Amino acid sequence: MNGTASGSTNSVIIVGSGPTGLLLAGDLAAAGVPVTLVEKRPRGISNLSRAFVVHARTLEQLDARGLADQIEEAGQQLDRLRLFGRLSIDLTGLPSRFNHLLVVPQYEVEKALERRAAEAGVTFAYDTEVTGLVQGSDGVTLQLRTKEGESAADRELSAAYVVGTDGMRSTVREAVGLPFPGRSAIRSVVLADVRLAEKPENLLTVNAVGDAFAFIAPFGDGYYRVIGWNRARNVPDTEPLDLDEIKEIARLALGHDYGMHDARWMSRFHSDERQAPHYRVGRVLLAGDAAHVHTPAGGQGMNTGLQDAANLSWKLAAVVGGRASADLLDTYEAERHPVGRAVLRSSGGIVRMAMAKRPWTLAARAALTGFLDRVRPARTRAVGQITGIGVRYPAPKGAHPLVGRRVPDVALQGGTRLYEALRAGEFVLILPQGEQSGRDGVRVAHWAGDRRTALLVRPDGYAAWAADGTGANGGVKSTDVPEEYAGYSLR
């Protein structure tokens, strides 16, 4: 690791080995890009994560990497989404193969992503901390401090691009001078891993009453993760925490502490709502919590970061590999920044409604709950926002209505499906049966049914181009398919 990295002009350094960094690193390495993943922690999957929910859109992205089924086996499915303790929304109608929530600890997701990244050839640099960053016109150099036993050594590592996936206190973000405006939304949140004398009735136990909120989810090994908050006890994160305080919060919020005992971990933290104004500064990009953080309501944090990585990985691989101009990277911020902003609004809104106390806020919550319960389109939109299924990216003026939309896991001719075809990490052109395309650099598939639309699907599962009934016989000609998509050459 001494000096300039070999092949630095076509390589990428990712800082931070959480789920976002691991998915991004695995994608790039699978595309043939040399990747080094820098992590200040020692080797090993951390148990300090707070994410326990994987949503439908994230499961689709994991499916496009051949990982969804094994992660599903490690978790438990929940077919209803609860909001505000009263509103229960049936997820079985989601237009997805994954029409449910998956309750699974974050470390199970990280295990699968880490294994994939290692098999793809990612170089891991653990016990390595970023101490400085300098970027020029042709690359970025990181100054690093690496632990070697009891001693430490300074190193430099260079690459064409650097991506900061190093969390809320991102060193990479600070090094490029990006602010992180926002506020602390909830202070003195408590967290513990405990055993329970009584098993909760529901897979996920969550409720808010008055000043108290509590959440309980199973690890699957006999321990449960408890997250709680008591508005009346607003103390610094450094204040000592004991099991009695956690049990009290559970009793206030849930009416029961389920006989919590044998705590193996307890901590106090605060939850912020923040977003960087930009996700790209030259050759440095941000993703996941380094770009945006929000309250845990709705379980959208890890999911949003993984979807950031899915959007960025194919674009970065194309630019580094010479198949696209660097301008393609601007579409990452243009598409994902509004999504991050929407998640801040929705997660913050859920918390404020759940913790409503004054008469007018309680009335507003009751009205909103009733509205969502009665009005199906509004409920569908809310569920689409939380699960990621409803995310749509901007489309050029005059584009086909499908452009920018998520493409479902449609059946393809030959008994396969779209998200299996996407595992190659390439654009997939779906054509009517019998039609052919002479376009190189695109994976061609055909609809399983009698459909006349031609659809070009990006590697992240969103429609890049579409046409209905083109060609002399109502089909598609190879010349109908654009040679370039946003600077990406399909030739």
Side-chain angles (χ1 to χ4, degrees):
M1 234 175 77
N2 231 334
T4 302
S6 175
S8 62
T9 57
N10 66 343
S11 62
V12 175
I13 302 170
I14 299 170
V15 182
S17 66
T20 302
L22 288 168
L23 187 144
L24 180 60
D27 282 5
L28 291 170
V33 177
V35 182
T36 299
L37 201 158
V38 173
E39 171 56 57
K40 66 181 180 181
R41 291 186 290 107
R43 180 183 294 274
I45 297 296
S46 171
N47 187 38
L48 304 182
S49 58
R50 299 163 194 158
F52 265 81
V53 171
V54 182
H55 284 298
R57 185 55 182 153
T58 303
L59 286 166
E60 289 179 343
Q61 295 291 1
L62 293 168
D63 189 25
R65 290 152 179 84
L67 300 176
D69 290 341
Q70 69 185 77
I71 293 175
E72 288 247 273
E73 289 177 2
Q76 299 178 70
Q77 296 180 12
L78 190 65
D79 62 6
R80 304 194 76 82
L81 177 66
R82 287 189 173 275
L83 294 175
F84 316 134
R86 301 179 184 179
L87 182 62
S88 180
I89 299 175
D90 185 3
L91 298 176
T92 57
L94 274 177
S96 172
R97 178 175 176 235
F98 305 101
N99 55 347
H100 52 263
L101 291 177
L102 182 67
V103 180
V104 63
Q106 179 176 318
Y107 62 73
E108 293 290 353
V109 179
E110 290 188 11
K111 284 179 185 177
L113 291 171
E114 183 185 53
R115 185 162 51 247
R116 172 178 179 258
E119 291 172 354
V122 172
T123 299
F124 290 85
Y126 290 103
D127 273 324
T128 302
E129 186 174 2
V130 175
T131 58
L133 180 154
V134 177
Q135 68 167 312
S137 60
D138 59 352
V140 186
T141 297
L142 293 180
Q143 285 84 46
L144 306 171
R145 172 68 56 92
T146 302
K147 294 180 182 178
E148 297 176 354
E150 296 298 320
S151 62
D154 293 327
R155 300 284 190 267
E156 283 190 352
L157 192 63
S158 298
Y161 289 90
V162 166
V163 184
T165 60
D166 49 341
M168 174 180 167
R169 296 176 179 83
S170 171
T171 302
V172 173
R173 186 187 64 241
E174 293 178 359
V176 295
L178 278 174
F180 207 36
R183 67 187 187 93
S184 291
I186 308 175
R187 296 185 181 275
S188 197
V189 183
V190 300
L191 177 152
D193 296 345
V194 301
R195 290 189 181 275
L196 302 179
E198 301 174 39
K199 184 178 180 180
E201 294 179 2
N202 300 313
L203 181 58
L204 282 184
T205 303
V206 58
N207 197 33
V209 176
D211 287 330
F213 164 86
F215 166 96
I216 301 177
F219 277 101
D221 62 355
Y223 274 87
Y224 289 76
R225 169 61 54 83
V226 181
I227 299 175
W229 179 53
N230 183 354
R231 188 182 354 228
R233 183 164 167 74
N234 189 1
V235 299
D237 293 351
T238 55
E239 185 77 9
L241 174 65
D242 58 32
L243 188 56
D244 285 341
E245 181 178 345
I246 295 168
K247 294 168 74 171
E248 180 186 2
I249 293 173
R251 287 192 295 267
L252 288 170
L254 307 174
H256 196 16
D257 65 20
Y258 299 96
M260 296 177 188
H261 62 97
D262 290 345
R264 66 181 178 186
W265 174 262
M266 290 187 292
S267 179
R268 198 187 300 273
F269 66 96
H270 61 276
S271 181
D272 285 7
E273 294 177 334
R274 300 182 185 277
Q275 185 178 28
H278 298 288
Y279 288 5
R280 180 189 178 196
V281 177
R283 291 177 172 270
V284 178
L285 300 108
L286 301 175
D289 286 355
H292 47 75
V293 293
H294 31 79
T295 70
Q300 299 172 81
M302 177 180 69
N303 290 271
T304 306
L306 288 169
Q307 292 165 40
D308 286 346
N311 183 290
L312 176 59
S313 63
W314 68 268
K315 297 174 181 179
L316 192 52
V319 172
V320 171
R323 299 187 304 278
S325 68
D327 291 344
L328 180 62
L329 297 177
D330 290 335
T331 68
Y332 165 64
E333 178 178 320
E335 292 178 344
R336 294 304 300 174
H337 197 278
V339 173
R341 187 169 60 247
V343 171
L344 257 72
R345 287 198 301 265
S346 64
S347 62
I350 291 171
V351 165
R352 283 182 272 280
M353 284 292 167
M355 300 301 294
K357 186 176 180 180
R358 294 180 174 86
W360 56 88
T361 54
L362 288 170
R365 184 177 72 184
L368 176 61
T369 300
F371 178 71
L372 291 174
D373 197 31
R374 293 189 308 271
V375 183
R376 185 173 179 178
R379 187 168 64 250
T380 299
R381 183 173 180 180
V383 173
Q385 161 68 33
I386 293 172
T387 64
I389 291 294
V391 170
R392 181 179 184 180
Y393 296 141
K397 186 176 181 180
H400 190 281
L402 290 176
V403 173
R405 290 184 179 271
R406 157 195 164 269
V407 182
D409 190 20
V410 296
L412 302 176
Q413 194 174 39
T416 61
R417 50 192 180 82
L418 174 60
Y419 282 74
E420 291 175 324
L422 287 172
R423 291 175 186 174
E426 302 172 349
F427 278 75
V428 175
L429 176 62
I430 310 176
L431 297 174
Q433 293 185 20
E435 299 294 338
Q436 299 298 322
S437 171
R439 182 78 65 223
D440 294 331
V442 188
R443 196 176 189 85
V444 175
H446 295 85
W447 300 103
D450 184 20
R451 186 169 178 177
R452 305 311 301 166
T453 300
L455 184 63
L456 182 64
V457 184
R458 302 177 353 177
D460 59 355
Y462 289 84
W465 171 87
D468 293 321
T470 57
N473 299 316
V476 159
K477 301 178 293 183
S478 64
T479 52
D480 291 329
V481 183
E483 291 186 353
E484 290 194 342
Y485 163 72
Y488 182 102
S489 176
L490 299 174
R491 290 171 288 182

